[in-house]
Amino acid sequence: MMDLFHSRGVVLGNGMSGALDKSAEDSEGPRKHPFAKSIEDVITFRFKLLVAIGERAGQHWSERLFDLSLNEWRLLALVKARAPTRAGDIADLLVMDKSQTSRVVKTLLTKGLVQDRPDTEDGRAHVLELTEKGEALYEPVFEKVLKSNERVLATLTAEEVRMLDSVLDKLIDHNRDLLDKRMGRQTAR
């Protein structure tokens, strides 16, 4: 009798070593995606679901504790990491619409958390930097973000976290390249 295991549409049996449906091939060779019975089994949907859960939780605490939306926090943190930086470069990194990025920058300018100044390399452009107030806010928020990430990762072993980190790097780089090709722009790295 065949030993079957069903979970989210994944079928394992007869000593199969993994949950990949290798029977189906397309123009690029064997499929790597696990068998998907519905949208709920699709890996990108599952990523979206994980992100949506984190967004909901993060939005609540960032607004309550720090009076920042998640996009405000992310932009503030990236300005900290990359200063001096242009808003357009941050928009590209976040894969965020430039008009949305502009609104977030305006909010951070109004709150006195970032400042802009002319770019020394291109006088027509402006670069962003944190203000003293932005610097002071960054550390406690970043500390909370790290603690939150520890809770998110609590179910994984240290080795699984290292593997996940490596896999995410690989997937982000690959998919950013695919997006750049679709958008007809040179990969910026």
Side-chain angles (χ1 to χ4, degrees):
M1 184 167 172
M2 190 179 346
D3 179 29
L4 294 175
F5 172 74
H6 281 266
S7 173
R8 291 184 332 270
V10 174
V11 179
L12 296 176
N14 286 345
M16 288 176 59
S17 63
L20 301 180
D21 177 15
K22 294 185 181 192
S23 62
E25 294 199 18
D26 58 23
S27 63
E28 297 176 13
R31 291 185 186 170
K32 294 180 182 179
H33 196 289
F35 176 75
K37 185 170 69 175
S38 76
I39 186 70
E40 294 177 61
D41 302 323
V42 175
I43 287 177
T44 53
F45 177 83
R46 295 173 65 212
F47 281 147
K48 165 66 175 110
L49 184 58
L50 178 62
V51 167
I53 292 167
E55 297 267 316
R56 177 70 55 95
Q59 189 68 35
H60 175 73
W61 72 256
S62 68
E63 287 178 345
R64 183 174 47 85
L65 295 176
F66 302 106
D67 190 33
L68 290 174
S69 73
L70 276 179
N71 282 338
E72 290 167 0
W73 156 246
R74 289 175 180 144
L75 201 135
L76 179 95
L78 285 171
V79 169
K80 167 74 173 165
R82 294 175 173 251
T85 188
R86 295 179 184 179
D89 294 338
I90 299 292
D92 289 343
L93 184 63
L94 289 172
V95 192
M96 184 186 284
D97 182 69
K98 291 189 186 337
S99 63
Q100 183 182 10
T101 303
S102 178
R103 286 190 298 274
V104 175
V105 167
K106 285 179 186 173
T107 301
L108 292 175
L109 287 166
T110 300
K111 290 182 177 185
L113 300 173
V114 299
Q115 60 188 355
D116 68 340
R117 63 172 173 77
D119 186 341
T120 56
E121 295 177 20
D122 180 354
R124 299 167 297 160
H126 281 81
V127 292
L128 301 169
E129 297 174 315
L130 295 187
T131 62
E132 283 185 35
K133 184 178 176 183
E135 291 279 353
L137 181 61
Y138 173 82
E139 289 302 325
V141 177
F142 192 61
E143 185 178 312
K144 292 274 189 192
V145 167
L146 293 177
K147 285 180 182 176
S148 173
N149 275 265
E150 287 296 325
R151 287 190 300 275
V152 168
L153 299 170
T155 191
L156 302 177
T157 66
E159 180 59 29
E160 288 171 329
V161 171
R162 282 190 292 280
M163 190 181 325
L164 175 63
D165 191 49
S166 175
V167 168
L168 286 172
D169 282 345
K170 199 171 187 178
L171 285 171
I172 289 167
D173 288 348
H174 173 71
N175 285 282
R176 191 174 296 277
D177 289 347
L178 290 176
L179 178 62
D180 286 346
K181 285 177 188 171
R182 282 187 197 119
M183 302 295 287
R185 57 186 186 211
Q186 192 170 9
T187 302
R189 249 190 255 138

